[in-house]
Each structure stands twice: as structure tokens, then as C-alpha cells.
Amino acid sequence: MTHFLTRRTFGGLALGLAASRVPAFAAEPSLVDAAKQEGRLVWYTTLVVGQIVRPIIQAFETRYPGIKIDFVPAPWQETSLRIINEGRANQVKGDLVDGGASFPPLQAAGLIQPYLVQSAASYPQAYRDPTGLWTANIIQPSTPSVNLDQVKKADIPQSYEDLLHPRWKGRMAWPDSPSVSGPPGFIGTILTAMGQDRGMEYLEKLAGQRIASVPSNQRVVLDQNIQGQYPLVLMIYNYHAAISMAEGAPIDWLRLSPTMVSFGQMSLLKNAPHPNAAKLFLEFSLSEEGQSVYAAAGYLPAHPHVPSKAKGLKPDDGQYKDFVLSALAYSEHDKAWQAIYKKLFV
Amino acid sequence: MTSDFADLPVADTTEAPPLHGRAADLFRRAWLGVLIAGIIATLVLPPAWTLLRTSLGTMQSDMSLSGVTLQNYADLLASPRLGTTALNSIVFATCATLVSLLFGGILAWLVERTDVPLKGLAYVTTIISLGTPYILYVTAWLYLLGRAGPFNDLYRSLIDPDATPFNVNSLAGMVMIEGFLWSPLVFLLLSSSFRAANAEMEEAARMAGATVAQTMMRISLKLAWPAILALALFVFIRNLESFEVPALVGMPGRVDVLTTEIYRSIKEMPPRLGYASAFSVVLLLIVSVLLFFYGRISRHAERYASITGKGYRPRPFLLGKARWPAACFILFNFLVVLLLPMLALLWVALQPFVRPMRWAALNFLTTKQFAAVLTSPHYLQLGVNTLIVAVTTASAVMLLTMFAGWLAARRQIGGVISDQLVTIPLVFPGLVLGVALLELALRLPFPIYGTLWLIVLAFLIRYMPYGMRYSFSGILQIHPELEQAAGVAGAGRGTTLRKVVFPLLWPAMASGWLFIFLLCAKEMSLPLLLAGPNSQTISVAMFDLWSNGQGGEVAALGLIWAALMTAVAATFHVVMRRQSATTFGH
């Protein structure tokens, strides 16, 4: 603890911590010693480097000098392919992995090492695996967004039914992402909320609206909404909208009931070359202290005690009804929901 | 007389040489071909095997490949609306090829063979547009011609407030963007051909009363015909298998081509690499057939050679009154290929978030994105890494394809096989090549995994086909009589290549080097899969920013990077021009 107090005077993070009174993270001394022996770890990440990867590494390295974090940023597919090839060749180089869709193939290939972090008990059940195969680090509510320059207040959709109004025909877009945070996730949300029959009836009507599938990520689709390319877009992340709204973008994100919430998660890799350093970083990242670094970067921390930087983005303080869909739960329905997407919307 | 100087009778041919002499002769003729074909085969065949194996397997949920099945090929045949998508593909690939050829070709001819003004501008346009990362370039056009873009905006404010005359998400939009993307390749390739062209025939045509257009059609084009045909074939294949523009531009407008489904299949979880590989294998067969026919056309290539043993000094062709219309063409090219997309990027980089071009938005102009890039200490190492990779790859590719191109163009032992092998990587999907190299590097006894050298190796394989186009068409231009003369004068093959062929080949090699250097400096997909913690490149950083919505910062980084690459390329260009001046005297 004294160790921490001497360190916390360094860097902006410490100031932020002091201001928000986040409890400091304290790890088992034996783990810290073992981690220092290893001296480094390799993190395969799907997160944004400048926005979160470097800040959290900086926070960690300030806290635990002598343990260096090397990272390899890549999209989930490349990350999974890399880890799987390393695993098959018995040459595991990475210690930690994060992401959503990257997880199911890794678990199926038996490349994940269970490790239950200290803070796991604080997390809602939906955001952690009971055996410690994974724990959520960020949550990602997928919502619509409207362009307020183009859409009158009275016309803003209040429910999923409102998306069927003729005024939206040919004027909506969503990211063509074959994942939980793309159209298949939307389809899953509708089918779960409305039931199979009524849900399919709704989706068939929605298909008639000719939604443009933009082959890009959520953020690019939101940018097209801000530009006015599409007045209404679906399946973007509400925290992206909040960041642009704070900079003056003429948009607002919508709370339709229920709002699908997916999440990113972190896991320890089996046969990790630096298991103790990796465990220490995992503990740190998922502690209230580490999670507050995520919050400061504009992400929505999964830890229930850490609020988001902008208020009202998480389901509990935003007072919207959520439907939590994990990457693993999604992967069980992946084929069926994708088939519906291809049949109706492509 | 045969075109093959190695077949020239040796000094004493009155008696058949003794057996060991014949073996020595065979070895003398074959060793280079065997060596070069061997190197290329070593590079190409392992990933080609992975491609074939992947196309016959099914990817399981744990991303392992299992079974031997033709299902992927059956899926190709059963893909939805096969007729329409195949037709769209052919129209798209053909038209985009024509756009590239017309734009790049006319430009190259004007710049190299005439006295048109503004020549420098054509080079600047080409180099900067090649140095600009691909996704930025496409994004810029999507922005410009989008529903809320400045063109539609302008039309609405001036003519009809409810109209949207420009629809970028259409076949025409795809053709235009893809055409512009590859016109710099055509320009660089043909400009080296035209630079070394013999002006005598063009001058003779003009003397005989032919107009500029007639001369161009009947002389200049005909002389460059084998090079142009090879290039057209190359660009056509590249367009046929490209899935980025069809996806980014066509998909939102529901214009599907054959590769649209491929794009979707590799984005799925797990990625259906087998399906994408099956498509590549089919494409590879088509390419082989096309190359076979091409081989028959280029068999008598020496007819087209313009660098001959005769007194040779190309002179620019005087355009006369056509000078200024020709300059307008260069200006137009500058406008559409460079200025408009760059302005769009600059606008995006100077705004806190992407918004329409309006006067009111000027109040929000900010330099914070540029500041973020310039003050970040991390980009420097990435930039250095990228330069190491790009310089090494471009040099290695050009060195290897210089020999391969000569073997192929002169129909030497190992030439045909080298040409076939070197073309294979053209159809590799990036992800499949990446996986093949991952597997390979993890099993190799030396520690290449996670280093810059693995990326160099991947780029070498990926860009060999491009280098080959430059060196092959460069060699075709050099009449074999020069080599024969050297042979008669007693020079061995090594001396002939070193003292005659390679110096004359400089313009083509320099253009090829530049092209590959610029492609390597911006290529994204392979480094994403292959870079380790200490071998990150600038394009990984760009992709990271782009895919996570820092559109402004990535535009700023892209612009700064393009400026830097332009400076590097311009320096190189000046040095190379001097080099070529000492050889060609102009």
C-alpha cells in the first residue's frame, strides 16, 4: 500500500483517481513478486491503442515499475488466427487476449486458461464466467442514432415499431458486421424480445425498409449519420455518439426497449510465457482502479461500481432496459441469425 | 536469326561437342533459370499449397481446418444470383481496367513522348496518390460523392433542393474509384516504356502527314502493344479479385459482384477461408489460361522492341496546337486523382468529427488532429520500421524479377515457369497468405516470427507479380540484337546482362521500385496479422485509428505520411532520372 501511495503522486491518472475517490487496487504481494521476476508480458489486444491501450499500460507500469507490457494490436480475426496458430505450433508468445468475437474460437480450441480475478465477485453474473475463463472489461450498448439536423423531434423513433414508418424507407444504415454488434445481433435481440413468430413478422417488415449495409465498423456508420448520409442509423455504440455529441455533432442516440448490450472481455492464455505478470495486469485492468482508466478514456467500464465519464450511458444510470448478449451466447445462434440476415436484408 | 543469344553457335561448331562439353553447355545455359525459378518456387509454392488445402477444407468453430471436400467449390457455384454477380464482375473489371489504361496510358504518353507543359504535375499526382493509404482514398471519394457530400450539396443548393444526382454506391462509382486507384500503376509502367521508345517511327509518321491522334494510334500504341496487353491483363485480374472497392462502395448500394460474397465470408466467425480460397483457385486457373494466350501473342515480342542497335535517341514529339488541350488533361487528372480526394481528407482532418462542407463548419476548424499525430512519440519507430520494410521489399522484388523478367522475355530455360509461378500470388487473398506465413514462420528453425523480416517475406511474395510486370515489359523493349552483339563481341552472359541489359532497363526498374515501395508503405492487411510487438508498422497504426473511429486523426496521419512518402519518392525519382539520363542521354 505504501508502495502505491508513493507512486500515485505520478501522472494524471493518480490525480483522476484522487478526484473520483476510486479505491486503489492492492494485489497479493506474492503475485507481484512473481510478476516482477518475469519482468514483462505480451498483450494481444483488439482495443484502440491511443485511446486506451497506452493509457492503461502507462498506469500499470507506473504502479509496477520493472514490468513491461508489450502489445500487439489487431482486429479480432487476426488476433484469433495468430493465437490459434501459435497454440497449434506449441509456441505460445502471448499472455493475454481481449475482445468479444475473438473469444469463442479460442475457447473451442482449448487455448484459454481459467483465472478468477479478485474483483470478479463485484461483477454481475452476465459479465463474468464463473470459472474465470473470461471477465468483461468494457460494455457496448448497441443503439440507433439520429441526425437532429435532418430529423424533426416529433419524428424520432421511440420504439422498434417506429422504425417501420415509411419515412425511413431507404434512409437507414447499419454496419455489415457478421457479429453480435451487427445485424445478426439486432435480429437476435428482436427474436428474443418479441418471440420467434412476431419477431420474424417484424423483421420481414423491416427488410422492406431497405436498410443500407455499410461494410465497415460502428464508428464509420455513425460518422455517416453525422455527415447526413443516413438520417437514422442502427447498431452503433452509444459511447461513440456521446463523444461526438460532446464535440458538437448534431446527433442523439436512442433508448429503444430493449437495448442490446454486448461486451468485450479479457482472458489469460493457456501456456502463457509470463503467467504471473499477465495475472497481475488482468487483476489491475478489472479492478476499480483499472476500470476508471477505461472510463476516463470514454469507454463504458464493465465494473458496476465505476461510472462512465458521460452520465447515462450504462443501463443502470441511463435507465434503459438492457438485453445482455455475450459473444459466447451469440455464437450459439450465429448461424441461424446470419441466415435470416442474408435471406431478408442482403 | 534466333532471338536467343545463348543459342548462338559457339566459336567451333564444325564438330559436335563431346558429351561432358554438352553437359557443361547445358549447365551454362540453365543454371540461372534453374536458380531463379527455384527461388521463386520456394517463395510461392508453400503458400500456394496452403491455398489449395484451405480451398478443400472446412473451417471448424475452433478455426481448425478439416476434411477434404469440394463443398467450397460447390458453394461458389451455388452462390446467390450467380449470373448477375458474374456479369457485374466482368463489367466492373473491364470498365475499371479501361479507365486505368486510358487515364494512365494517355498521361504516360503525353509526359514521356511529347512537349506537353506541366509534366511535373503528372508525376506529383501519381506519387502522392500512390503514397496515400487505400482506405483513406476510398473514404475520401465516398465522402465527396456521397449523398451528403459536396457535389450533391452543391447541386441541391443551386438547382434542385430535393435531388441527389450523384450516387457513388453504384457500378459507375465502383468503376471510377477502382479505375483511379490503378491508373498510377499504368502511368508508371507505361511511362518507363514510352521513355525508352524510339521516336523515329513516330517522326516518320508525322512527316508522312499523320495527325497526332493517328500517330498515337498507329505507331506509339502499336509499338507498346505487348506491354499494354500484359498490363491490361494484369489490371483486369487485379480488378476481378478485388473486394475492397466492391464492398466499401458497392455493398451499401446493393451492387453485388462475385467478390462481395467472398468479402462477407471472410468477415464471418470463423472466417470461411475455404470459400475465399476456392474462388482464388478458380481465378488462378483462369489466369493460367489467359497467360497461355498472352504467351502466344508475345512470342514475337522482338518485333516490338524499340531499343535497338541503331543510333537511338528519342526526341519529344511536338504537339503544336494540341499542347494546351493536352495540358488540360494533366490538370484534370491532377484534379480528380489527387486534389479533390486530398481536399476532402484535409477537411476531415481539420474537423473534430466528419461533417458536411459548409461555411458554418469553418468555425470548428481545428488542428488538434495534426497536433495529436505530430506530438505522439510512437509514430517515429513505426515510420522507421515501415521504411525498412518498404525499401528492403522493393529492392528484393526488383532484383529477383529483373532476372525472372529477362528469362521470361528471352524465353530462356526456366523463363516460362518463372513467369507462371511469379503470377500466382496475384490471386492470393491477403488473409490466406498471412495464415500460410504464420504457420511457416512458427515452424522455421530460425526466429523470423514476429520480426520485420516476416513482413518483408510476405510483401516479397505479394508484390513479385507487380515487379515482374515492370521488368518484363522493360526487357521486351530492348531488342535482343544488342545482347547478340555483345555475345559476338565475346561478352559472357553475366557481362551482357550487367553492361547492356540492366543499364537499359533502369527506367523500368526504377518505376517498379517506386511503385512497390509506395504499396508496401501503405499495405495494411498483412502487417495486421504478422507484426509482433516490436515490428509494428505505420499502417497498423492507421488501421487501428480508422477502425476505431478516429477518422480525423487517421486523415491527419495519412496526409503527413503521404507527404513524407512523396518526399522520399521524389528524391528517389530525381536520382533515378539522372541515372537514366546517363544511359539514354535525355
Side-chain angles (χ1 to χ4, degrees), chain B residues 359-514:
Chain B
W359 293 116
L362 285 177
N363 299 329
F364 294 93
L365 285 185
T366 167
T367 54
K368 73 167 192 178
Q369 322 272 18
F370 283 99
V373 175
L374 292 173
T375 54
S376 167
H378 310 288
Y379 290 127
L380 186 65
Q381 184 58 47
L382 303 186
V384 171
N385 283 351
T386 310
L387 281 179
I388 293 173
V389 168
V391 168
T392 316
T393 310
S395 308
V397 168
M398 291 324 292
L399 185 71
L400 187 62
T401 57
M402 185 164 73
F403 288 104
W406 180 78
L407 290 168
R410 294 291 183 253
R411 313 207 138 258
Q412 296 281 310
I413 294 171
V416 176
I417 187 81
S418 294
D419 199 14
Q420 291 273 356
L421 284 173
V422 94
T423 316
I424 294 176
L426 185 61
V427 299
F428 283 161
L431 210 52
V432 175
L433 178 60
V435 169
L437 283 165
L438 270 188
E439 288 178 356
L440 201 71
L442 282 163
R443 280 166 179 76
L444 283 177
F446 40 91
I448 190 177
Y449 185 78
T451 67
L452 283 177
W453 306 115
L454 183 59
I455 303 177
V456 169
L457 186 66
F459 281 178
L460 174 62
I461 296 170
R462 191 172 182 79
Y463 293 121
M464 271 194 314
Y466 298 80
M468 186 68 172
R469 287 296 46 101
Y470 281 94
S471 51
F472 183 75
S473 58
I475 305 262
L476 277 190
Q477 276 200 309
I478 304 170
H479 200 287
E481 69 185 22
L482 294 172
E483 295 161 37
Q484 287 154 9
V488 169
R493 189 160 61 170
T495 317
T496 310
L497 285 177
R498 204 172 61 245
K499 295 228 164 145
V500 178
V501 179
F502 295 155
L504 288 171
L505 202 56
W506 261 122
M509 302 316 282
S511 292
W513 191 94
L514 196 59

